Amino acid sequence: MLVESIVFALVGLVTGGTALLARPAYFRAARALVLGTALAAALVGGVVAHFSVDGRQPAVSVAAAAVASGVLTSLLARPDLAAGRAPAHRHHRHHPHRPGTHRAARRHRAA
């Protein structure tokens, strides 16, 4: 289990390092956070997989560590904040559910 844990840790560090090197603009968080998330996810995913298969298939455990590390590291990616990309605005200037902001013609009563 000790050797597998070291392999899980290496898989996590490689996954986090690869993500930071491949897409540095996508990760605005601190590099330590990205590497720590990848490392922790690989360790937890690998240990859970190790006990799930009773330690009989170490390749499955390593693969699960890589998948867990990749998935959780990808949650930190922010492609909308990457350099050169315009942010996608979700809210319009005139929201239809706020009173007085729709552009439909209004009837006014004479005073």
Side-chain angles (χ1 to χ4, degrees), residues 59-111:
V60 171
S61 299
V62 172
V67 168
S69 180
V71 167
L72 287 180
T73 302
S74 72
L75 292 178
L76 297 175
R78 294 290 308 269
D80 58 329
L81 297 180
R85 295 189 65 176
H89 295 287
R90 293 183 183 175
H91 303 288
H92 299 288
R93 187 172 146 201
H94 297 283
H95 194 275
H97 297 293
R98 292 187 188 153
T101 59
H102 66 286
R103 294 184 176 218
R106 296 183 190 160
R107 292 185 174 180
H108 294 285
R109 295 189 316 190

Side-chain angles (χ1 to χ4, degrees), residues 10-23 31 34-35 38 73:
L10 289 175
V11 165
L13 291 175
V14 167
T15 302
T18 302
L20 286 172
L21 288 175
R23 303 281 185 195
R31 291 184 177 174
V34 174
L35 289 174
T73 302

Side-chain angles (χ1 to χ4, degrees), residues 4 8 42 45-51 53 55-66:
E4 283 183 348
F8 299 154
V47 168
V48 168
H50 173 81
F51 287 113
V53 295
R56 294 184 183 149
Q57 298 176 348
V60 171
S61 299
V62 172

